[in-house]
Amino acid sequence: MTTKSAAAATLPTVHGYPRQGRGRELKKAIEGYWRGTVTADALLAAASGLRRENWTRLTAAGIREVPTGDFSLYDHVLDASVAVGAIPDRHRAAVEADPLDGYFAMARGTQDVAPLEMTKWFDTNYHYLVPELGPDTVFAANPAKAVGELREARALGHDARPVLVGPVTYLLLAKPAPGVAAGFQPITLLDRLLPVYAQLLADLRAAGAHWVQLDEPALVQDRTPAELNAAARAYRDLGALTDRPKLLVASYFDRLGEALPVLAKAPVDGLALDFTGPAAANLDDLAAVGGLPGKRLVAGVVDGRNVWINDLERSLATLATLLGLADRVDVAPSCSLLHVPLDAGLEREVDPQIARWLAFAKQKTEEVALLARGLREGTGAITADLAANRADLASRAASPITRDPAVRARAAAVTPDDARRARAYPERAVAQRARLGLPLLPTTTIGSFPQTTELRVARADLAAGRIDAAAYRERMEAEVREVVAHQEKAGLDVLVHGEPERNDMVQYFAEQLTGYLATRHGWVQSYGTRYVRPPVLAGDISRPHPMTVDWFRYAQGLTDRPVKGMLTGPVTMLAWSFVRDDQPLADTACQVALALRDEVTDLEAAGAAVVQVDEPALRETLPLRAADRPAYLEWATEAFRLATSGVRADTQVHTHMCYAEFGAIMTAIDELDADVISLEAARSHMEVAGELAAAGYPREVGPGVWDIHSPRVPGTEEVVELLRTGLAAIPAERLWVNPDCGLKTRGRPETRASLENLVAAARLLRAELAGGAAGRPVG
């Protein structure tokens, strides 16, 4: 092996590409199919067209080896479950009757059958559908999607590399199926699963695959010796197959750590490693294990999760070092480009100075191709590009946009007392109950109500100048009146204004804070057909004026019941944005928290007795390795308290979290010091209630009783049973009744019916408690 030969062979590639299309055509086709206005054939044709566009776009940017199998109609982990035949028993008949409808039923559920649980994909804001497995699970290879998409790409003349979720990660992401003992470990099914992967690999080789990528991001987390042994066994067995393509095992999001020597020694043909952020440690770790002699290394040196331009000279230096550690070094983003928008060139309204600093998926593929060329041909071949890149990096570092002396002075003056409530929770609880006068099992919603077509049209009309601000305000006020009236009629105890004026729970605030940049076309998939436009956090943060107070005042003036002030918390404002990478996250979080603190105190001054500051991203932003978590949780919980601790004792502070595994952050949830926390719990059958009880959580809790990511309406008895489970863990005086999450994606009829059933269930249990069960859990 020589450095020169490794450089000469260098090619650019990517792990995956955004699925939605430039105009979110995939979302429109799928939702049209669900409504019955698009046929199955038309949906599949639209999907095929989008794949073709992606491959064409990649090759035009210089990508020589395109991925296949990364495209999905809903979720790539769900695709993996279908590929290995892991269909839950309750969905098997539907899948056998109509595979497409059965696929969507697993994702969304039906009125009669619950969907798979959904949770965060590692520390991103993408959501995957959790495989359900048990001792009786029977796997069977279904290569139709993987082989079909490979053949599509090859027929168009592309050199294609199929991408599959690796067997170890698939099992480590799975959970015990309903009715299976909680202690069951899906990884024990590895020996049963590996022959299915062997069959998939053989089928892909027969279809013309030279390489297949197996994604193993679960191996960047802390893993037990048994799990590392499982990984070693998996790739020993798959590597020993004779009827297989070459195997590229990919990891991303962090360093491989203890798993690196396991994979380096495995009889596979290449590794794809992340070399950005904390994963930069992979460089020294790779050298320490002696590199990858005889193997291919796909080096992820372009950040696949953020939107800032690459430091090309720094990346070239990293790549030059790597050339001595493998037979062939290819260049790639750090992970799939699924996590960034499509094309920064579409953002024509962005300040031209800032536009020079941005790189979305299209620009990142160009950076990857440029780096590969520089490695192959030498830096002299890209001299002009390097000079332009240096100028853009210098422009960002020197820009007054990135530094506001007043903001920095205020953040520097923060003291520990600023992040503590003046009174402890027991005293606050007494004051709040006296002020609010709520019944046992108080009912509320999380915040948003359905964002109807009429609301979106009004927002588009305002942006296009077809209506003025006064007409838009009138339309939004009419919606608030309807939402408040419906909640009163349904019997809810604590109301919301429904957030009709908000385009997104982060973007809405970002558009009103200095330092943030909103995009017009920066859509990123969150789950299924749900896309968001994360704002770009480009500079120091401050609040020029109140953001929600007028809407709170209007809604509270319509009712005698308490209306919640609704804000998004500082950690979520960072996590669901493309955050600046030129200063510590803790510093940015402090700036956002101070801006929110001003809004919280203004809401209280306007009469808000309840203020909710949502932090659904607290768990998802948790570092993947345990050693990195204490520092993160310290600044994250402090930022929340800094935002919320300026209010009186009788003002009740709520927070909300959804679709994550909460067990790892129970101590942090306590340290938020929120008076009430609402959490996703319906799909997981109230698991979190037991976890909170086991952790001794002392405050009020609203575990969700309605899975709002499914179109089905929960019946009253179903809600009652969930609440009984909750009451077995949490005393009635500390239990709230609410949906899992906001209702933005739901329709009005199902919202009305579901909320009426939710209130009816709470009333039934209140009657039981009043009838003599108040001294013990109702179960």
Side-chain angles (χ1 to χ4, degrees):
M1 180 182 72
T2 68
T3 298
K4 182 176 179 180
S5 64
T10 294
L11 293 176
T13 189
V14 300
H15 296 298
Y17 205 71
R19 303 159 179 166
Q20 67 265 29
R22 289 168 69 92
R24 289 182 294 157
E25 291 86 354
L26 184 61
K27 169 186 174 70
K28 295 168 186 175
I30 293 172
E31 292 181 351
Y33 176 73
W34 292 342
R35 290 192 301 268
T37 59
V38 172
T39 66
D41 287 344
L43 168 59
L44 296 177
S48 179
L50 289 170
R51 289 193 292 271
R52 183 170 59 250
E53 288 178 14
N54 280 356
W55 296 327
T56 300
R57 190 173 293 120
L58 287 169
T59 54
I63 301 302
R64 305 282 187 87
E65 182 187 57
V66 301
T68 64
D70 61 306
F71 186 92
S72 178
L73 292 176
Y74 203 97
D75 167 48
H76 59 278
V77 181
L78 177 60
D79 295 344
S81 290
V82 173
V84 301
I87 310 299
D89 288 342
R90 65 184 183 281
H91 288 289
R92 191 168 298 279
V95 170
E96 291 172 353
D98 187 314
L100 185 59
D101 285 346
Y103 175 89
F104 286 131
M106 286 191 287
R108 305 172 70 230
T110 67
Q111 185 56 40
D112 300 317
V113 182
L116 293 171
E117 183 179 342
M118 185 163 61
T119 195
K120 304 287 186 177
W121 176 248
F122 296 92
D123 57 349
T124 76
N125 190 39
Y126 178 81
H127 303 67
Y128 73 94
L129 290 156
V130 182
E132 295 178 357
L133 306 176
D136 298 328
T137 297
V138 176
F139 297 112
N142 180 354
K145 179 181 184 294
V147 168
E149 292 178 12
L150 172 64
R151 286 175 173 159
E152 278 183 34
R154 286 176 52 80
L156 293 168
H158 299 296
D159 182 11
R161 183 184 73 251
V163 179
L164 301 171
V165 176
V168 179
T169 288
Y170 180 78
L171 294 175
L172 290 173
L173 293 179
K175 66 177 294 182
V180 173
F184 174 74
Q185 298 293 321
I187 194 67
T188 59
L189 300 176
L190 181 64
D191 291 336
R192 197 181 304 175
L193 181 61
L194 288 178
V196 174
Y197 270 80
Q199 183 61 55
L200 292 172
L201 293 172
D203 291 337
L204 287 167
R205 183 188 185 202
H210 301 295
W211 285 86
V212 169
Q213 177 177 319
L214 296 174
D215 283 358
E216 294 287 7
L219 295 180
V220 306
Q221 297 172 297
D222 298 312
R223 288 299 165 200
T224 66
E227 291 166 342
L228 292 172
N229 287 337
R233 190 168 78 254
Y235 287 101
R236 178 200 66 200
D237 291 357
L238 293 178
L241 297 171
T242 56
D243 186 17
R244 68 165 177 84
K246 293 182 178 180
L247 298 182
L248 177 71
V249 182
S251 67
Y252 37 81
F253 300 149
D254 211 322
R255 64 185 183 90
L256 264 177
E258 303 85 353
L260 180 55
V262 172
L263 295 180
K265 288 187 275 187
V268 298
D269 307 282
L271 297 185
L273 301 179
D274 185 351
F275 292 98
T276 65
N282 275 329
L283 180 60
D284 289 340
D285 292 348
L286 186 61
V289 299
L292 300 175
K295 294 182 180 179
R296 175 187 185 187
L297 172 64
V298 176
V301 294
V302 172
D303 190 346
R305 296 179 56 180
N306 214 331
V307 295
W308 305 109
I309 57 173
N310 185 259
D311 185 333
L312 296 178
E313 291 181 325
R314 179 182 295 177
S315 292
L316 284 168
T318 298
L319 290 165
T321 302
L322 292 171
L323 285 174
L325 297 175
D327 271 16
R328 169 181 166 188
V329 177
D330 291 338
V331 186
S334 59
C335 60
S336 171
L337 295 174
L338 172 72
H339 306 289
V340 295
L342 272 169
D343 184 1
L346 299 175
E347 303 299 333
R348 296 186 176 89
E349 298 175 12
V350 171
D351 182 325
Q353 180 185 20
I354 299 176
R356 293 168 54 193
W357 310 339
L358 298 177
F360 293 177
K362 180 177 183 293
Q363 290 72 36
K364 289 180 184 294
T365 59
E366 293 166 351
E367 290 178 334
V368 164
L370 190 67
L371 289 166
R373 183 185 173 203
L375 209 59
R376 280 196 314 272
E377 302 175 21
T379 56
I382 58 171
T383 299
D385 300 288
L386 292 175
N389 179 250
R390 279 195 300 272
D392 291 341
L393 293 169
S395 165
R396 183 183 175 205
S399 173
I401 294 171
T402 62
R403 297 183 71 85
D404 182 328
V407 172
R408 291 176 178 262
R410 186 185 182 193
V414 168
T415 69
D417 286 343
D418 292 326
R420 297 192 189 100
R421 296 286 292 270
R423 296 189 188 179
Y425 169 72
E427 296 178 72
R428 300 197 310 260
V430 172
Q432 291 161 16
R433 286 169 186 159
R435 182 180 183 186
L436 292 169
L438 298 174
L440 283 178
L441 306 180
T443 56
T444 189
T445 65
I446 302 305
S448 62
F449 264 62
Q451 283 276 325
T452 63
T453 300
E454 293 80 6
L455 293 177
R456 293 190 175 94
V457 167
R459 194 172 295 120
D461 286 345
L462 177 66
R466 291 185 290 267
I467 61 174
D468 60 16
Y472 177 75
R473 174 90 187 190
E474 183 178 337
R475 294 189 190 184
M476 297 301 107
E477 286 181 352
E479 180 69 16
V480 173
R481 290 194 297 271
E482 181 173 339
V483 166
V484 170
H486 167 63
Q487 292 173 91
E488 287 191 317
K489 182 179 179 182
L492 289 161
D493 300 302
V494 176
L495 312 188
V496 297
H497 80 288
E499 305 174 12
E501 79 288 0
R502 302 186 188 183
N503 44 17
D504 176 81
M505 67 181 291
V506 171
Q507 183 183 349
Y508 176 78
F509 295 100
E511 289 173 346
Q512 300 183 74
L513 294 169
T514 62
Y516 269 102
L517 165 70
T519 66
R520 181 176 287 270
H521 303 285
W523 297 103
V524 177
Q525 187 181 19
S526 178
Y527 64 87
T529 61
R530 167 75 168 142
Y531 289 85
V532 294
R533 281 184 297 167
V536 177
L537 211 165
D540 287 344
I541 302 299
S542 62
R543 185 196 73 146
H545 51 75
M547 300 178 286
T548 65
V549 174
D550 283 349
W551 287 109
F552 164 76
R553 282 198 182 105
Y554 181 75
Q556 188 63 79
L558 299 172
T559 180
D560 293 331
R561 300 180 191 183
V563 174
K564 290 193 279 192
M566 297 296 308
L567 304 175
T568 301
V571 176
T572 300
M573 288 294 296
L574 267 61
W576 292 1
S577 302
F578 293 114
V579 72
R580 60 192 299 180
D581 59 356
D582 58 348
Q583 69 179 20
L585 279 176
D587 293 354
T588 307
C590 179
Q591 294 178 3
V592 177
L594 288 169
L596 293 173
R597 183 184 182 96
D598 295 341
E599 188 73 11
V600 170
T601 54
D602 281 351
L603 282 166
E604 182 184 59
V610 181
V611 178
Q612 183 168 310
V613 181
D614 290 345
E615 283 291 20
L618 182 70
R619 171 61 179 84
E620 78 183 46
T621 314
L622 190 71
L624 296 177
R625 291 200 169 264
D628 301 325
R629 293 173 181 175
Y632 159 73
L633 291 172
E634 181 177 1
W635 67 253
T637 54
E638 181 177 343
F640 179 88
R641 295 195 309 272
L642 182 60
T644 57
S645 291
V647 296
R648 303 191 310 261
D650 64 351
T651 297
Q652 192 172 71
V653 173
H654 288 223
T655 192
H656 170 67
M657 298 180 190
C658 56
Y659 292 94
E661 300 293 337
F662 301 111
I665 60 167
M666 282 297 168
T667 299
I669 288 174
D670 187 23
E671 289 175 355
L672 294 175
D673 199 23
D675 301 303
V676 181
I677 184 169
S678 55
L679 302 130
E680 177 276 328
R683 285 198 185 189
S684 58
H685 310 290
M686 285 281 171
E687 283 181 7
V688 71
E691 291 172 347
L692 287 165
Y697 186 73
R699 300 175 189 84
E700 298 177 41
V701 181
V705 295
W706 166 24
D707 172 18
I708 64 87
H709 291 290
S710 170
R712 61 187 297 275
V713 174
T716 299
E717 189 56 38
E718 178 182 338
V719 176
V720 166
E721 289 308 309
L722 283 171
L723 287 173
R724 290 186 193 281
T725 302
L727 284 165
I730 299 167
E733 58 271 16
R734 291 199 287 112
L735 190 70
W736 285 65
V737 182
N738 47 258
D740 271 345
C741 200
L743 308 177
K744 180 178 181 178
T745 61
R746 299 275 50 90
R748 280 178 171 166
E750 67 204 71
T751 295
R752 291 191 179 99
S754 297
L755 289 179
E756 288 167 2
N757 291 348
L758 181 151
V759 171
R763 287 173 173 169
L764 281 170
L765 287 175
R766 282 177 199 156
E768 287 189 19
L769 290 165
R776 64 183 188 278
V778 178

